[in-house]
Amino acid sequence: MTETPLLKVEGITKTYAGRIGCKDVSFDLWPGEVMGIVGESGSGKSTLLSCLAGHLAPDTGRVVFDTRAEGPRDVLAMSEPERRMLARTDWAFVHQNPRDGLRMGVSAGGNVGERLMAVGARHYGNIRAEAIDWLGRVEIAADRVDDRPRQFSGGMQQRLQIARNLVTGPRLVFMDEPTGGLDVSVQARLLDLLRGLVREMGLSAVIVTHDLAVVRLLADRLMVMKGGDVVEQGLTDQVLDDPQHAYTQLLVSSVLQV
Amino acid sequence: MSEHYNFAYLDEQTKRMIRRAILKGVAVPGYQVPFASREMPMPYGWGTGGVQVTAACLTPEDQLKVIDQGADDTTNAVSIRKFFQKTAGVAVTERTTEASVIQTRHRIPETPLTEGQILVYQVPIPEPLRFLEPRETETRRMHALEEYGLMHVKLYEDIARNGAIATAYAYPVKVEGRYVMDPSPIPKFDNPKLSNSPALQLFGAGREQRIYAIPPYTQVISLDFEDHPFEASKAPHPCDLCGDEGSYLDEVITDDQGGRMFVCSDTDHCESRREAGHTGRLSPQEDAA
């Protein structure tokens, strides 16, 4: 393991017209590590993720990413072209709703190929082969490559979105409720798939969710947020099995056991 | 010339504003310059942008040629030509070689253009990324940051669905290695003529309020894939009237028995060749009586 964290987050605060979105959040993410962020609706976890991914500008704080070429750099201080380049090469963002992350009018192959073409791939045969390979890895049959996402089921759309994001071999993936809106059996398959890909590719990931089962399966470390504050963080099993903060205890005990 | 109009219809301040946009467009080849498009006495879609650009370029000494899909004698061409005859009193011509300003809808003349000529295109939708990305704010940012991967997604979709790049007109081009540009709905057969042309090429979109330009001797490359290279296609026939094998053709249905003929879409080119004695399959036979 290297000495520098892949992502170093320092004192991120974001307010919306005086209302707190998230307050003074700091953490380090190491290569190959999966960080889960849980909390109820409105706890600031999505705000935090948007700030990290560069979709929102935080009021204060630094997000230092260990770039391939130049080592650790503050993402928020980067120029927009640099940040967007990063966003389509080393980073990936999986939206809760596949409609936000996919181009619904473009075929599955085109969706997967878009990032390749955005970084300069100009050979149709290779792009298509890569797209078909990735569809296979997310368990979509190769003969669906020319179908549009709207002909896919919800679970397939979500898997397609994941393929589209991972095709350029990113090192850091942001996921916003990747299993939201899917039924439990589809969720289970998706989680299985995600776990496999994360381990196989050595990805680091930040996963925002309100589903404790998701973090239990995927995340190495866990951060619990409430009202914009991080109330507890630690190893996933430790936090879930021995919650210290009252809110975390409530959260863990709210999960229905069947 | 009617005394009621200012020269070339538009007032001088408006022409000045349009010329500024044109100059900026020439300075930044392929960049879409916003301008305050005026209402013109014709409906949108009939060349309001092209007419304003032409009006701003015209001088009383100019010889104007107007073509519509290559033809000098179709409605759009005739009405715009009459418009400038009436409001500017300029000389008009159908000869490409004689014209100093040519306003065109969807074709580039077959006769190679020369230095000093201005070719004005009528553009319906200037944004090449429009049908891929509906947000104007986003497309502008993509142009600014040179993020043109999406344009290739469109070509990818073409090949995936049709086996070849099926885009036959308004084929996207990259100008001088920087801006991706919509060359207006010219057939892709004409795309190679955009590049390195000695003439100044101006594009006006009236409804969308954009002007852009390709200065003379500017490199214009049609986008493609390495394994699916750009191809300037046309109907694989010679012209039935003048016998030209290299010009862009219109297909004309002649009866309800499946009869058809192919004729040059550039009427001036076809007529010049016929005057020079060239004949095609359906040329009237000389009476040898």
Side-chain angles (χ1 to χ4, degrees):
Chain A
M1 203 163 246
T2 46
E3 291 298 310
T4 33
L6 186 68
L7 190 74
K8 197 174 175 61
V9 178
E10 292 170 1
I12 293 286
T13 300
K14 171 77 185 169
T15 55
Y16 298 105
R19 283 178 204 281
I20 288 168
C22 61
K23 198 166 77 191
D24 197 25
V25 178
S26 304
F27 67 91
D28 289 348
L29 185 73
W30 297 86
E33 189 182 36
V34 178
M35 169 73 108
I37 304 174
V38 294
E40 59 194 5
S41 295
S43 62
K45 52 194 197 313
S46 291
T47 298
L48 175 62
L49 194 73
S50 296
C51 287
L52 298 183
H55 298 171
L56 277 179
D59 301 335
T60 58
R62 301 201 319 145
V63 179
V64 181
F65 179 72
D66 185 19
T67 59
R68 280 181 218 237
E70 296 166 55
R73 289 197 53 192
D74 186 357
V75 174
L76 302 171
M78 277 185 180
S79 67
E80 195 178 357
E82 283 179 304
R83 193 161 57 232
R84 285 174 74 115
M85 189 65 189
L86 197 62
R88 59 175 189 263
T89 52
D90 262 2
W91 285 8
F93 196 103
V94 177
H95 293 265
Q96 172 176 8
N97 188 340
R99 277 160 200 281
D100 298 335
L102 290 173
R103 286 188 195 281
M104 299 307 281
V106 169
S107 72
N111 264 299
V112 178
E114 181 178 346
R115 271 169 81 107
L116 293 171
M117 292 182 244
V119 295
R122 292 292 180 264
H123 189 284
Y124 174 80
N126 296 352
I127 293 167
R128 195 171 170 80
E130 184 96 340
I132 289 175
D133 176 49
W134 265 98
L135 289 184
R137 288 165 82 164
V138 296
E139 298 165 22
I140 296 175
D143 63 355
R144 301 299 301 270
V145 66
D146 292 332
D147 288 348
R148 310 215 182 160
R150 58 170 71 93
Q151 291 161 279
F152 287 3
S153 69
M156 279 171 88
Q157 288 182 1
Q158 195 59 288
R159 279 180 277 145
L160 179 63
Q161 195 195 174
I162 288 163
R164 167 186 159 90
N165 273 290
L166 297 188
V167 67
T168 47
R171 293 189 295 154
L172 177 59
V173 186
F174 298 104
M175 294 190 217
D176 189 6
E177 312 264 12
T179 58
L182 300 176
D183 70 60
V184 279
S185 61
V186 176
Q187 268 192 28
R189 275 181 65 196
L190 186 74
L191 285 173
D192 213 33
L193 176 79
L194 270 178
R195 194 157 60 153
L197 288 171
V198 165
R199 295 283 177 266
E200 181 189 325
M201 298 175 72
L203 295 175
S204 301
V206 179
I207 298 179
V208 162
T209 182
H210 51 238
D211 187 343
L212 293 182
V214 171
V215 288
R216 173 77 92 174
L217 277 171
L218 285 177
D220 302 308
R221 272 199 301 146
L222 191 58
M223 227 161 73
V224 183
M225 291 186 75
K226 184 179 190 308
D229 287 308
V230 176
V231 293
E232 186 166 355
Q233 58 176 317
L235 297 175
T236 303
D237 291 346
Q238 183 190 330
V239 173
L240 291 183
D241 293 340
D242 182 21
Q244 301 294 313
H245 190 274
Y247 174 70
T248 317
Q249 290 167 355
L250 179 72
L251 201 64
V252 170
S253 63
S254 311
V255 176
L256 285 176
Q257 303 292 331
V258 281
Chain B
M1 178 181 169
S2 165
E3 291 302 313
H4 304 294
Y5 290 111
N6 187 35
F7 176 74
Y9 186 76
L10 293 174
D11 62 277
E12 293 306 311
Q13 283 304 312
T14 300
K15 284 197 261 182
R16 195 176 141 135
M17 173 271 293
I18 294 172
R19 285 174 195 145
R20 284 181 173 204
I22 293 173
L23 286 176
K24 184 167 178 183
V26 169
V28 192
Y31 171 71
Q32 298 167 45
V33 185
F35 79 111
S37 176
R38 299 290 191 251
E39 294 252 350
M40 296 302 282
M42 59 182 69
Y44 287 127
W46 282 66
T48 51
V51 162
Q52 289 178 75
V53 172
T54 303
C57 291
L58 275 184
T59 64
E61 295 76 39
D62 272 320
Q63 284 241 48
L64 179 70
K65 171 181 162 80
V66 185
I67 51 174
D68 168 10
Q69 305 273 15
D72 288 278
D73 51 6
T74 46
T75 322
N76 197 227
V78 169
S79 56
I80 291 174
R81 189 180 323 125
K82 273 196 184 150
F83 175 77
F84 281 116
Q85 275 178 301
K86 186 171 180 185
T87 60
V90 290
V92 293
T93 177
E94 296 195 358
R95 296 280 181 217
T96 304
T97 44
E98 288 169 10
S100 54
V101 177
I102 304 172
Q103 179 168 340
T104 176
R105 174 172 173 266
H106 309 180
R107 267 319 300 281
I108 300 176
E110 303 286 354
T111 315
L113 301 176
T114 53
E115 277 184 27
Q117 286 185 311
I118 300 177
L119 186 59
V120 179
Y121 296 78
Q122 303 171 195
V123 183
I125 295 163
E127 179 52 72
L129 303 162
R130 175 60 66 242
F131 293 109
L132 303 156
E133 175 54 68
R135 288 168 295 178
E136 176 73 14
T137 47
E138 186 64 18
T139 54
R140 281 202 208 184
R141 183 169 292 149
M142 289 160 80
H143 281 295
L145 302 178
E146 239 182 311
E147 281 181 10
Y148 291 131
L150 200 52
M151 208 69 247
H152 274 86
V153 173
K154 176 180 149 68
L155 300 180
Y156 172 95
E157 288 291 288
D158 254 12
I159 305 175
R161 251 175 249 161
N162 306 301
I165 298 179
T167 305
Y169 64 95
Y171 193 101
V173 294
K174 193 166 220 182
V175 181
E176 203 64 23
R178 177 62 180 83
Y179 282 98
V180 164
M181 188 192 93
D182 180 345
S184 86
I186 59 171
K188 67 176 169 184
F189 174 81
D190 282 341
N191 267 22
K193 294 183 208 156
L194 292 166
S195 189
N196 226 18
S197 167
L200 171 63
Q201 302 174 76
L202 303 174
F203 298 77
R207 179 179 44 211
E208 303 286 325
Q209 314 202 322
R210 294 287 184 277
I211 284 173
Y212 49 103
I214 304 177
Y217 303 109
T218 300
Q219 186 198 48
V220 179
I221 293 175
S222 305
L223 301 179
D224 59 3
F225 285 105
E226 287 157 17
D227 47 346
H228 285 269
F230 171 78
E231 218 175 309
S233 60
K234 67 181 273 281
H237 297 275
C239 171
D240 282 337
L241 294 179
C242 76
D244 193 352
E245 309 224 343
S247 72
Y248 191 74
L249 302 173
D250 286 339
E251 184 178 5
V252 183
I253 307 287
T254 51
D255 54 35
D256 59 1
Q257 313 293 313
R260 61 195 58 205
M261 65 189 288
F262 290 92
V263 291
C264 292
S265 103
D266 186 338
T267 52
D268 168 51
H269 174 75
C270 202
E271 265 160 38
S272 311
R273 279 180 55 87
R274 274 182 277 157
E275 278 165 21
H278 295 278
T279 55
R281 186 174 63 94
L282 296 176
S283 296
Q285 296 303 310
E286 291 290 328
D287 242 350

